[in-house]
Every structure is written in structure tokens, then in C-alpha cells.
């Protein structure tokens, strides 16, 4: 992955769509029960987070499953991300979480530590769930201490979403292997020529900082804690705050004012780091054209990137472990499910579903091309382990990073506060 090759048309691709799957609210339905009936029919509770488009698609896959498995009924429960985990924590504490539920790497160790998650290897050994045909080694994302407690349904990676018109007007062309210095020089050019900020606020994004650390031989998390120092974080936030004051990064007060719209689609800046499959939101919100560009590097080669994933997990105390495993197997392997879900939760994780779905819109074509380009360039590594409490640290990083951006907290004090909150989270 050299610095001389410009990103080709298939890499910086137009993103199209109506709204991000992570946005929007949906009412929660269903409350579960004993899971059985007199005629032998089993009922499983299935919970996830996401917007209305995801809910509509998942309900179609549930109907398909019930048609093929008439003795298993599925009761759906869904809401937005924050409300999902608030409710799930209460359910887990009360011993009544859903039988099957959407999960993410930041929560695996936390709920494994509490004995909530089923080790699905046993169900795989029994023939109720296949652990074969997962793409690019993504199955490992759901493994903790030798147990398979999450089964990936999709995969995504970090990307730089850019305002194509702004970059073109400024005469800036992203390149694979470009360095951070080259990236910030590009943003300065955009600011000078177009009088807008270059970035929306990169330094409060935990997953981007993780990539930066990985580029420098560290990582955000170790198995049990943080993989960097207070000095490391202080420097990161000092650099970010300086760029806010210089106007290179968008005014955080204006960023707050346009929420829930992105500062990028609101025209406050020309680029924003996020997960590649979230790029659908910008075209729906904004007036420009948007595309995916490479992550800047430290050495012109290593981006630190990996495939993240949404997963399905099962409750260790479910009364119907075999049926839960069969349901998960269907949801991650059935080709028709793949065609229904598309890339709503990221690039489809298994070959059966990946091969079954051919994207037709510009956004999904762009996401597929971007991930294939990154994989072909050999940029993908293994995901950084997340200890129990990682979810709390992620929220704290976003909040405290925002305080730094607004000048409410000095970088050194903010770093100290983050480490203090992390210590408490890991001990919980």
C-alpha cells in the first residue's frame, strides 16, 4: 500500500441513502414468557437496537424463519442503542435477558464475566450451529478466553467520509498510505480555499484513537485495561484542541447545534471519521456528494484497521438453547436472510449471505468496494481486545473529548479524568 497511488474511483465512491441504521427510534414490543406451549411450540425473545429500516428488515427475516421452523416462534424487542443497553442491563441483573440478542465487542467480556452469555461452541459441536464460512477471520471477534460467545452477522471498518465536492474544489485527492501530516495539510488547504473546517472532531472518537495507537505499536485496550498512558492521551487531545482553536476542526458548539444531523452533512466541515457502513446517513442528510477515503497512517503503510462486527449472542440461562442456536445459525447463514438484510449491519459475515446479496445502490456498492480495497491492500489486522467495562470507557471518551473540544477541560486534566473513570469501570 504505497503513497504514490491515488484512490481509484471504486474506492472513493458516492454514498447514497436515506438515514443511518443507527438513527431513529422504534417502540419496544413483547415481554417474553416461559417460552413453551402445550403443542410443543417454543417461543424465543429476540432483541436488537437500531432504527426503523433495520426493524422492518429483521421482522421479514423472522417471518421467514418461522415459516421454515413452524415449532419456533420469535417475539421481537427493539429500540435505539442507548435504551437497548439500559434495558438489557436491568434484564441481565434480574436474570431475564432475551434468549437471543444483538451484541458488540465492547460488551462481550462484561456480560461473560457476569455469566450471561452462552458458549455456543457446545451447540456447534451438537450440530445446531455452524461456525464455518465466516469471511476474513471475523468469527474471532466473538471469541473470549476460548469461548464463542458472539456470532458475527456483519463486518465493518473505520473510514474517512469526505465531502467530494469540497475536496475536488480544494484540489485535494486522498491517497492510500497518506500520512497524518498529509491529511492535516489537506484539511488546511480546504480551510484556506473554502473557508470551512476540514474535520468535524476526530479526537473524541475512541475507535479512531485506537487505530492511531495501533499504528504506533500500542492499542486502546488490553485484555484487562488501557493500552496507553495519560501522556499519550494528553498529547492526542492537545493536538485536537489546537486544531479546534485554529478552525481546522469544526466549532464544537455549532456541531452540537445541528445534532442529530452530522456536522459533515450540515456543511460545517469537509470530512468525518466513522464506520464505513454508517456512510448512508450523509447523503440523506446533506446537500453534497459523499465518498469513502482511506485512513491516514503514521508510516505510509499501517492503518491499524480491523473488521469490527455486530453479533448475535444467546442467554446462558435460556430454557431452549438448541432452538436459540438454530435461530442464530439461520440468521447468519441463510442466503435469503442475507438478501433481506443487505449491509444494514455491515458487510455480510458469511460467504453464503455475502454471495447471495448483490448491492445495487451507490452507497452499498461503495461500502463493499472500500472494504474489498482495504482487505486487498493487506491493511486489516485483528480486533483489539475489549475488557469488561469497555462500553463505559467508550462513552466517557466521547464525553470528555467533547469537553476538551469546547475548552471546558484542559487536555491533561481530561486525560487524568478518563483514566480515573476507566479504572472504576474495569473494577465494576
Amino acid at each position: 500500500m504505497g503513497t504514490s497511488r491515488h484512490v481509484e474511483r471504486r474506492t472513493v465512491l458516492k454514498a447514497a441513502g436515506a438515514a443511518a441504521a443507527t438513527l431513529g427510534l422504534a417502540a419496544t414490543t413483547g415481554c417474553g414468557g416461559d417460552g413453551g406451549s402445550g403443542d410443543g411450540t417454543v417461543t424465543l425473545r429476540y432483541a436488537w437496537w437500531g432504527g426503523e429500516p433495520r426493524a422492518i428488515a429483521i421482522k421479514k427475516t423472522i417471518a421467514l424463519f418461522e415459516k421454515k421452523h413452524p415449532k419456533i416462534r420469535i417475539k421481537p424487542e427493539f429500540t435505539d442503542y442507548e435504551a437497548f443497553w439500559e434495558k438489557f442491563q436491568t434484564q441481565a441483573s434480574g436474570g431475564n435477558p432475551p434468549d437471543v440478542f444483538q451484541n458488540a465487542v465492547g460488551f462481550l467480556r462484561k456480560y461473560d464475566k457476569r455469566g450471561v452469555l452462552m458458549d455456543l461452541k457446545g451447540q456447534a459441536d451438537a450440530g445446531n450451529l455452524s461456525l464455518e464460512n465466516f469471511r476474513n477471520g471475523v468469527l474471532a471477534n466473538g471469541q473470549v478466553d476460548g469461548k464463542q460467545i458472539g456470532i458475527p452477522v456483519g463486518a465493518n471498518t473505520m473510514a474517512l467520509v469526505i465531502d467530494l465536492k469540497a475536496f475536488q474544489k480544494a484540489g485535494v485527492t486522498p491517497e492510500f498510505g497518506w500520512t497524518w501530516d498529509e491529511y492535516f495539510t489537506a484539511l488546511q488547504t480546504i480551510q484556506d480555499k473554502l473557508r470551512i473546517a476540514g474535520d468535524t472532531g476526530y479526537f473524541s472518537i475512541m475507535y479512531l484513537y485506537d487505530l492511531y495507537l495501533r499504528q504506533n505499536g500500542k492499542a486502546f485496550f488490553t485484555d484487562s485495561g488501557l493500552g496507553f498512558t495519560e501522556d499519550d492521551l494528553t498529547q492526542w487531545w492537545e493536538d485536537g484542541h489546537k486544531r479546534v482553536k485554529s478552525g481546522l476542526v469544526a466549532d464544537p458548539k455549532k456541531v452540537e447545534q445541528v445534532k442529530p444531523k452530522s456536522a459533515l452533512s450540515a456543511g460545517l466541515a469537509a470530512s468525518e471519521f466513522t464506520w464505513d457502513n454508517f456512510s448512508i446517513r450523509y447523503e440523506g442528510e446533506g446537500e453534497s456528494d459523499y465518498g469513502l477515503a482511506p485512513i491516514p497512517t503514521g508510516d505510509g503503510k499501517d492503518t491499524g484497521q480491523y473488521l469490527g462486527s455486530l453479533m448475535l449472542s444467546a442467554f446462558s440461562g435460556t430454557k431452549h438453547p438448541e432452538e436459540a442456536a438454530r435461530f442464530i445459525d439461520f440468521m447468519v447463514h441463510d442466503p435469503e436472510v442475507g438478501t433481506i438484510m443487505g449491509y444494514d449491519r455491515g458487510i455480510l459475515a458469511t460467504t453464503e449471505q455475502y454471495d447471495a446479496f448483490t448491492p445495487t445502490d451507490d452507497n452499498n456498492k461503495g461500502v463493499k468496494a472500500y472494504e474489498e480495497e482495504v482487505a486487498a491492500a493487506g491493511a486489516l489486522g485483528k480486533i483489539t481486545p475489549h475488557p469488561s467495562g469497555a462500553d463505559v470507557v467508550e462513552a466517557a471518551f466521547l464525553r470528555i473529548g467533547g469537553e476538551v473540544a469546547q475548552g471546558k477541560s484542559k487536555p491533561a486534566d481530561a486525560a487524568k479524568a478518563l483514566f480515573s473513570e476507566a479504572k472504576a469501570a474495569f473494577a465494576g
Side-chain angles (χ1 to χ4, degrees):
M1 185 169 61
T3 58
S4 61
R5 184 165 67 86
H6 283 67
V7 175
E8 298 179 21
R9 181 176 177 81
R10 68 179 185 275
T11 300
V12 179
L13 287 156
K14 183 178 179 181
T22 55
L23 297 178
L25 302 178
T28 306
T29 62
C31 58
D34 61 12
S37 65
D39 64 356
T41 300
V42 167
T43 298
L44 300 175
R45 291 164 53 215
Y46 174 34
W48 68 91
W49 67 83
E52 192 65 26
R54 179 176 296 175
I56 292 170
I58 288 180
K59 285 183 176 180
K60 289 180 180 179
T61 67
I62 289 173
L64 181 65
F65 176 80
E66 291 180 337
K67 181 179 180 181
K68 295 185 178 183
H69 299 81
K71 289 294 184 180
I72 306 177
R73 308 298 296 176
I74 305 298
K75 183 172 289 187
E77 302 176 11
F78 62 99
T79 184
D80 70 326
Y81 180 85
E82 184 176 358
F84 176 92
W85 287 111
E86 289 177 356
K87 181 177 180 181
F88 186 86
Q89 180 162 317
T90 300
Q91 292 172 327
S93 297
N96 188 39
D99 300 280
V100 177
F101 48 93
Q102 193 168 281
N103 209 344
V105 67
F107 298 88
L108 292 182
R109 288 185 182 274
K110 176 176 183 174
Y111 287 106
D112 178 54
K113 182 179 178 180
R114 300 181 184 183
V116 175
L117 306 182
M118 182 193 302
D119 182 358
L120 291 160
K121 281 188 175 180
Q123 290 298 322
D125 292 341
N128 299 322
L129 169 67
S130 172
L131 300 181
E132 303 295 325
N133 300 330
F134 285 85
R135 303 177 59 252
N136 294 324
V138 74
L139 183 64
N141 290 4
Q143 296 169 357
V144 169
D145 299 331
K147 294 176 287 188
Q148 189 75 51
I149 53 179
I151 306 296
V153 293
N156 54 9
T157 190
M158 288 292 291
L160 176 66
V161 182
I162 65 172
D163 183 324
L164 290 171
K165 292 180 180 179
F167 270 66
Q168 290 165 0
K169 286 180 181 178
V172 175
T173 303
E175 298 179 343
F176 261 110
W178 62 339
T179 66
W180 285 101
D181 285 343
E182 289 169 336
Y183 171 67
F184 288 120
T185 297
L187 299 193
Q188 186 66 60
T189 300
I190 289 170
Q191 184 190 28
D192 292 342
K193 292 186 176 182
L194 306 182
R195 301 303 177 188
I196 62 171
D199 180 87
T200 64
Y202 68 94
F203 53 88
S204 62
I205 303 172
M206 187 197 81
Y207 288 101
L208 180 66
Y209 187 46
D210 185 28
L211 298 194
Y212 179 81
L213 289 168
R214 288 161 63 96
Q215 291 175 10
N216 290 279
K218 298 185 178 183
F220 195 98
F221 291 119
T222 66
D223 287 346
S224 58
L226 299 177
F228 57 98
T229 68
E230 283 188 33
D231 288 342
D232 291 332
L233 183 55
T234 297
Q235 182 63 53
W236 174 257
W237 276 341
E238 282 180 346
D239 289 345
H241 184 49
K242 288 177 183 177
R243 292 187 174 102
V244 171
K245 291 193 294 184
S246 70
L248 200 65
V249 171
D251 182 340
K253 293 181 180 178
K254 293 182 179 179
V255 172
E256 287 295 321
Q257 289 172 357
V258 300
K259 286 184 177 180
K261 179 182 283 190
S262 161
L264 173 60
S265 49
L268 298 180
S271 67
E272 179 167 281
F273 291 96
T274 189
W275 296 102
D276 57 2
N277 66 313
F278 289 2
S279 59
I280 188 173
R281 74 175 293 187
Y282 300 98
E283 191 91 6
E285 290 180 347
E287 300 298 327
S288 190
D289 295 322
Y290 306 92
L292 300 177
I295 297 292
T297 70
D299 61 1
K301 296 179 180 179
D302 185 11
T303 65
Q305 283 175 273
Y306 50 83
L307 287 179
S309 64
L310 288 181
M311 312 174 202
L312 296 181
S313 292
F315 173 38
S316 59
T318 178
K319 295 180 180 179
H320 307 287
E322 177 181 334
E323 289 83 357
R326 291 188 181 280
F327 177 63
I328 292 175
D329 182 80
F330 183 85
M331 288 297 171
V332 300
H333 288 288
D334 185 85
E336 195 169 349
V337 170
T339 62
I340 293 171
M341 294 306 304
Y343 295 162
D344 175 85
R345 298 175 294 191
I347 296 286
L348 294 156
T350 61
T351 55
E352 297 97 324
Q353 294 190 347
Y354 181 83
D355 293 342
F357 176 71
T358 300
T360 56
D361 63 282
D362 287 340
N363 177 71
N364 282 330
K365 287 180 179 178
V367 173
K368 180 178 181 178
Y370 175 75
E371 289 200 10
E372 289 182 345
E373 189 86 1
V374 171
L380 292 174
K382 293 183 178 180
I383 196 168
T384 303
H386 286 49
S388 176
D391 57 315
V392 177
V393 177
E394 179 181 356
F397 192 88
L398 178 63
R399 170 174 48 81
I400 297 173
E403 293 172 357
V404 172
Q406 296 177 47
K408 295 180 179 179
S409 181
K410 294 181 179 179
D413 294 337
K416 185 175 181 179
L418 188 282
F419 270 71
S420 178
E421 293 193 28
K423 183 178 179 181
F426 297 143

